[in-house]
Amino acid sequence: MQKDDSIGSLRSVYPVVGSLPPLLRDEVERLSSRVEVRAGNRLFGTGDPAAVFPFVVSGRVRVARMGREGAEVLLYRLGPGEACALTVATLLGDDRYPAAGVAEGRVVLFALPRAAFLRLVLECEAFRAFVFRGLSRRLAHLMTVVDDVAFRGIRQRLASHLLERESPLRTTHQLLAHDLGTRREIVS
């Protein structure tokens, strides 16, 4: 068994779970199903209903919105210990996903059913604060994405994006275009 395969990793990566009252913590651990997703596989797609809250314990999920003509814009990346803003909004609103989430590498998560998620939000102040703090951060980030796309030129966005990435850079023109919400030809 790998390090991220145990339910104990859920508590270490999401301290809020460890801080839950014992009965709620036991329920979360009992009801959460371990899910492993391979690189490139979809966790959710545009129009899918949300049925679970994902506690990502390893890996990264790329959350992006596809345009009608195939253009894609990166909304954010979801990593260990974070709350997925789209999932939160979709679960709370009993709605469908407005974007897609794809594993960038191997992702391990624990999936908590919607009813248990809603119970935690209603009954546990610490969990509610965790969820809404994560939602607030993501909305602030999405405002910067909108600002970048609307008010900054592609050269500025590309330069900033390249400076933020780790060296050496391992990507393609197509992935850079997706990250920046433009076409491959423009990045090339």
Side-chain angles (χ1 to χ4, degrees), residues 16 19-21 24 119-129:
V16 69
S19 73
L20 294 173
L24 281 176
R119 180 173 174 214
L120 280 176
V121 170
L122 289 173
E123 295 181 15
C124 184
E125 185 177 338
F127 188 77
R128 188 170 48 250

mmCIF file of all heavy atoms in Angstrom, residues 16 19-21 24 119-129:
data_model
loop_
_atom_site.group_PDB
_atom_site.id
_atom_site.type_symbol
_atom_site.label_atom_id
_atom_site.label_comp_id
_atom_site.label_asym_id
_atom_site.label_seq_id
_atom_site.Cartn_x
_atom_site.Cartn_y
_atom_site.Cartn_z
ATOM 1 N N VAL A 16 -8.652 19.673 8.730
ATOM 2 C CA VAL A 16 -10.032 19.930 9.161
ATOM 3 C C VAL A 16 -10.774 18.617 9.429
ATOM 4 O O VAL A 16 -11.608 18.548 10.323
ATOM 5 C CB VAL A 16 -10.793 20.818 8.147
ATOM 6 C CG1 VAL A 16 -11.064 20.079 6.838
ATOM 7 C CG2 VAL A 16 -12.090 21.341 8.745
ATOM 8 N N SER A 19 -9.882 17.393 12.809
ATOM 9 C CA SER A 19 -10.422 18.238 13.891
ATOM 10 C C SER A 19 -11.928 18.083 14.074
ATOM 11 O O SER A 19 -12.503 18.700 14.976
ATOM 12 C CB SER A 19 -10.090 19.707 13.621
ATOM 13 O OG SER A 19 -10.884 20.215 12.565
ATOM 14 N N LEU A 20 -12.557 17.278 13.231
ATOM 15 C CA LEU A 20 -14.007 17.079 13.364
ATOM 16 C C LEU A 20 -14.332 16.364 14.666
ATOM 17 O O LEU A 20 -13.519 15.579 15.175
ATOM 18 C CB LEU A 20 -14.533 16.232 12.193
ATOM 19 C CG LEU A 20 -14.479 16.839 10.806
ATOM 20 C CD1 LEU A 20 -14.873 15.798 9.758
ATOM 21 C CD2 LEU A 20 -15.376 18.062 10.703
ATOM 22 N N PRO A 21 -15.537 16.588 15.203
ATOM 23 C CA PRO A 21 -15.968 15.786 16.353
ATOM 24 C C PRO A 21 -15.881 14.298 15.989
ATOM 25 O O PRO A 21 -16.124 13.927 14.828
ATOM 26 C CB PRO A 21 -17.417 16.217 16.562
ATOM 27 C CG PRO A 21 -17.511 17.574 15.935
ATOM 28 C CD PRO A 21 -16.534 17.555 14.789
ATOM 29 N N LEU A 24 -18.561 12.622 13.698
ATOM 30 C CA LEU A 24 -18.542 13.113 12.319
ATOM 31 C C LEU A 24 -17.299 12.640 11.580
ATOM 32 O O LEU A 24 -17.365 12.254 10.411
ATOM 33 C CB LEU A 24 -18.609 14.647 12.290
ATOM 34 C CG LEU A 24 -19.979 15.277 12.506
ATOM 35 C CD1 LEU A 24 -19.860 16.797 12.546
ATOM 36 C CD2 LEU A 24 -20.953 14.846 11.430
ATOM 37 N N ARG A 119 -24.212 17.671 5.243
ATOM 38 C CA ARG A 119 -24.340 17.548 6.704
ATOM 39 C C ARG A 119 -23.150 18.228 7.398
ATOM 40 O O ARG A 119 -23.321 18.956 8.375
ATOM 41 C CB ARG A 119 -24.429 16.088 7.117
ATOM 42 C CG ARG A 119 -24.561 15.912 8.606
ATOM 43 C CD ARG A 119 -24.815 14.479 9.010
ATOM 44 N NE ARG A 119 -24.791 14.408 10.463
ATOM 45 C CZ ARG A 119 -24.359 13.389 11.142
ATOM 46 N NH1 ARG A 119 -23.938 12.300 10.513
ATOM 47 N NH2 ARG A 119 -24.355 13.398 12.453
ATOM 48 N N LEU A 120 -21.944 17.993 6.892
ATOM 49 C CA LEU A 120 -20.752 18.625 7.471
ATOM 50 C C LEU A 120 -20.829 20.149 7.384
ATOM 51 O O LEU A 120 -20.494 20.851 8.338
ATOM 52 C CB LEU A 120 -19.487 18.150 6.764
ATOM 53 C CG LEU A 120 -18.931 16.803 7.166
ATOM 54 C CD1 LEU A 120 -17.731 16.459 6.298
ATOM 55 C CD2 LEU A 120 -18.541 16.790 8.624
ATOM 56 N N VAL A 121 -21.252 20.650 6.244
ATOM 57 C CA VAL A 121 -21.359 22.104 6.067
ATOM 58 C C VAL A 121 -22.369 22.687 7.060
ATOM 59 O O VAL A 121 -22.128 23.739 7.656
ATOM 60 C CB VAL A 121 -21.745 22.458 4.608
ATOM 61 C CG1 VAL A 121 -22.107 23.928 4.473
ATOM 62 C CG2 VAL A 121 -20.606 22.105 3.656
ATOM 63 N N LEU A 122 -23.462 21.993 7.246
ATOM 64 C CA LEU A 122 -24.505 22.487 8.148
ATOM 65 C C LEU A 122 -24.144 22.353 9.626
ATOM 66 O O LEU A 122 -24.455 23.228 10.432
ATOM 67 C CB LEU A 122 -25.825 21.749 7.886
ATOM 68 C CG LEU A 122 -26.519 22.084 6.573
ATOM 69 C CD1 LEU A 122 -27.709 21.162 6.349
ATOM 70 C CD2 LEU A 122 -26.950 23.540 6.533
ATOM 71 N N GLU A 123 -23.485 21.265 10.001
ATOM 72 C CA GLU A 123 -23.283 20.951 11.413
ATOM 73 C C GLU A 123 -21.918 21.302 11.983
ATOM 74 O O GLU A 123 -21.770 21.356 13.203
ATOM 75 C CB GLU A 123 -23.546 19.452 11.649
ATOM 76 C CG GLU A 123 -24.979 19.048 11.404
ATOM 77 C CD GLU A 123 -25.225 17.574 11.665
ATOM 78 O OE1 GLU A 123 -24.379 16.908 12.309
ATOM 79 O OE2 GLU A 123 -26.263 17.073 11.196
ATOM 80 N N CYS A 124 -20.938 21.522 11.148
ATOM 81 C CA CYS A 124 -19.585 21.714 11.661
ATOM 82 C C CYS A 124 -19.007 23.057 11.217
ATOM 83 O O CYS A 124 -18.692 23.254 10.038
ATOM 84 C CB CYS A 124 -18.695 20.566 11.195
ATOM 85 S SG CYS A 124 -17.040 20.673 11.876
ATOM 86 N N GLU A 125 -18.853 23.956 12.161
ATOM 87 C CA GLU A 125 -18.358 25.298 11.867
ATOM 88 C C GLU A 125 -16.966 25.273 11.231
ATOM 89 O O GLU A 125 -16.690 26.015 10.287
ATOM 90 C CB GLU A 125 -18.346 26.144 13.137
ATOM 91 C CG GLU A 125 -17.959 27.575 12.895
ATOM 92 C CD GLU A 125 -18.028 28.424 14.150
ATOM 93 O OE1 GLU A 125 -18.742 28.055 15.095
ATOM 94 O OE2 GLU A 125 -17.340 29.453 14.172
ATOM 95 N N ALA A 126 -16.084 24.422 11.730
ATOM 96 C CA ALA A 126 -14.714 24.359 11.191
ATOM 97 C C ALA A 126 -14.718 23.900 9.737
ATOM 98 O O ALA A 126 -13.992 24.448 8.899
ATOM 99 C CB ALA A 126 -13.847 23.430 12.038
ATOM 100 N N PHE A 127 -15.536 22.906 9.416
ATOM 101 C CA PHE A 127 -15.603 22.424 8.040
ATOM 102 C C PHE A 127 -16.240 23.489 7.145
ATOM 103 O O PHE A 127 -15.774 23.743 6.033
ATOM 104 C CB PHE A 127 -16.382 21.109 7.944
ATOM 105 C CG PHE A 127 -16.317 20.492 6.571
ATOM 106 C CD1 PHE A 127 -15.178 19.817 6.155
ATOM 107 C CD2 PHE A 127 -17.374 20.618 5.684
ATOM 108 C CE1 PHE A 127 -15.101 19.264 4.874
ATOM 109 C CE2 PHE A 127 -17.305 20.067 4.410
ATOM 110 C CZ PHE A 127 -16.169 19.391 4.007
ATOM 111 N N ARG A 128 -17.299 24.111 7.622
ATOM 112 C CA ARG A 128 -17.957 25.181 6.870
ATOM 113 C C ARG A 128 -16.955 26.296 6.560
ATOM 114 O O ARG A 128 -16.890 26.801 5.444
ATOM 115 C CB ARG A 128 -19.159 25.710 7.656
ATOM 116 C CG ARG A 128 -20.021 26.682 6.923
ATOM 117 C CD ARG A 128 -21.335 26.994 7.644
ATOM 118 N NE ARG A 128 -21.194 27.301 9.050
ATOM 119 C CZ ARG A 128 -21.595 26.511 10.045
ATOM 120 N NH1 ARG A 128 -22.166 25.346 9.786
ATOM 121 N NH2 ARG A 128 -21.432 26.883 11.304
ATOM 122 N N ALA A 129 -16.159 26.679 7.563
ATOM 123 C CA ALA A 129 -15.152 27.729 7.360
ATOM 124 C C ALA A 129 -14.116 27.288 6.322
ATOM 125 O O ALA A 129 -13.719 28.080 5.460
ATOM 126 C CB ALA A 129 -14.471 28.068 8.676
#
